[in-house]
Amino acid sequence: MTAPTDPDGQRQGVRLSVAGVISALLSLTFLVLAAYIWWSSTLLSGPDRTELRWFAALVGAYGIWRSVRTMLKNRTEEP
């Protein structure tokens, strides 16, 4: 499978901007942090466990929202 070419005959590559990469890494960081908080909540009991799980769910939801927003933003910037 070959890369698509533009009208000039040159190959088009994937263009990654620094801001896009940082945004993707930040989204991934929030998802990993949510997983770690969820896992650490298993060591606790009582209301603290429930509160940490809610917090982990909110942090994970924010990470997913950032990922979707970044993908949509990158999709609309492509020509």
Side-chain angles (χ1 to χ4, degrees):
M1 184 173 205
T2 60
T5 58
D6 61 6
D8 297 333
Q10 295 181 352
R11 288 186 175 185
Q12 295 176 347
V14 176
R15 295 181 183 170
L16 296 175
S17 67
V18 174
V21 171
I22 290 173
S23 184
L25 287 175
L26 188 60
S27 300
L28 183 64
T29 301
F30 278 107
L31 293 173
V32 170
L33 182 64
Y36 176 73
I37 293 170
W38 187 276
W39 174 79
S40 66
S41 73
T42 60
L43 304 174
L44 300 173
S45 62
D48 293 337
R49 181 180 188 170
T50 305
E51 289 177 7
L52 272 179
R53 288 198 174 187
W54 277 110
F55 183 69
L58 289 173
V59 171
Y62 180 71
I64 292 170
W65 177 76
R66 279 192 58 87
S67 300
V68 170
R69 186 180 70 166
T70 300
M71 286 188 291
L72 292 176
K73 182 179 177 186
N74 290 339
R75 182 178 293 176
T76 58
E77 287 181 357
E78 293 177 2

